Amino acid sequence: HRVALSDHRIKAVDESSVTYQYKPKQSQRVLSRTVSGEAFVKSFAQHILPTGFRKVRYYGWMASNSKAKLEELRMVVWFSVGLVYWLASGHAPQKPIKPFPKVCCLACGAPMRVIAISDHPIRPTLSTHSRAYLDSG
């Protein structure tokens, strides 16, 4: 496992300071820096992940072998956000909502109205016929 600062880069440690080597991104030279022990521990602790977290680097479009260019990704995000905005703004042509047909009573033909909506299935009721169809025997 690689750590933020390996042991061979630490050159000197005394009671109040730590000297270590580093290489700036744009330079090939190796420089050394001396900081207080407190500042060293504070900057080193920034690289420690909380328990349960994993270090993930270069995944997806950020991977070094990804062929996607940042400009293309920006354009895809812009189009998708713009399309969602365009559809939700009311400027997109939308079909008018058809009203539901009226439900009428089969017996009298009068329009019916909704009194309640339930998630429970409808339970069968006993017939008014002389012989009950839900008898147990």
Side-chain angles (χ1 to χ4, degrees), residues 78-120:
W78 184 82
F79 279 135
S80 65
V81 170
L83 182 63
V84 170
Y85 174 75
W86 182 69
L87 288 174
S89 66
H91 294 295
Q94 299 175 4
K95 294 180 183 177
I97 299 172
K98 295 180 184 177
F100 289 106
K102 291 184 179 180
V103 179
C104 296
C105 176
L106 295 175
C108 67
M112 297 174 72
R113 61 187 173 100
V114 176
I115 295 176
I117 298 175
S118 174
D119 292 336
H120 303 294

Side-chain angles (χ1 to χ4, degrees), residues 45-56:
Q46 290 179 344
H47 299 280
I48 300 171
L49 294 173
T51 305
F53 280 69
R54 300 183 102 184
K55 186 188 298 185
V56 177

Side-chain angles (χ1 to χ4, degrees), residues 126-135:
L126 294 177
S127 172
T128 57
H129 196 271
S130 62
R131 288 187 358 190
Y133 64 93
L134 290 177
D135 65 351

Side-chain angles (χ1 to χ4, degrees), residues 34-75:
T34 302
V35 294
S36 68
E38 184 178 330
F40 178 78
V41 171
K42 184 177 180 181
S43 64
F44 187 80
Q46 290 179 344
H47 299 280
I48 300 171
L49 294 173
T51 305
F53 280 69
R54 300 183 102 184
K55 186 188 298 185
V56 177
R57 290 185 177 183
Y58 311 121
Y59 178 77
W61 61 271
M62 293 181 70
S64 61
N65 62 351
S66 174
K67 304 299 181 208
K69 293 186 170 63
L70 184 58
E71 301 304 321
E72 293 171 352
L73 294 169
R74 283 184 180 155
M75 189 171 252

Side-chain angles (χ1 to χ4, degrees), residues 3-44:
V3 294
L5 187 63
S6 58
D7 293 339
H8 76 276
R9 289 178 47 199
I10 298 175
K11 296 302 174 188
V13 177
D14 60 18
E15 294 175 357
S16 62
S17 64
V18 176
T19 303
Y20 61 94
Q21 290 183 332
Y22 70 99
K23 185 168 73 171
K25 286 185 178 183
Q26 302 296 330
S27 175
Q28 296 297 325
R29 298 182 324 176
V30 176
L31 304 174
S32 65
R33 177 179 290 164
T34 302
V35 294
S36 68
E38 184 178 330
F40 178 78
V41 171
K42 184 177 180 181
S43 64
F44 187 80

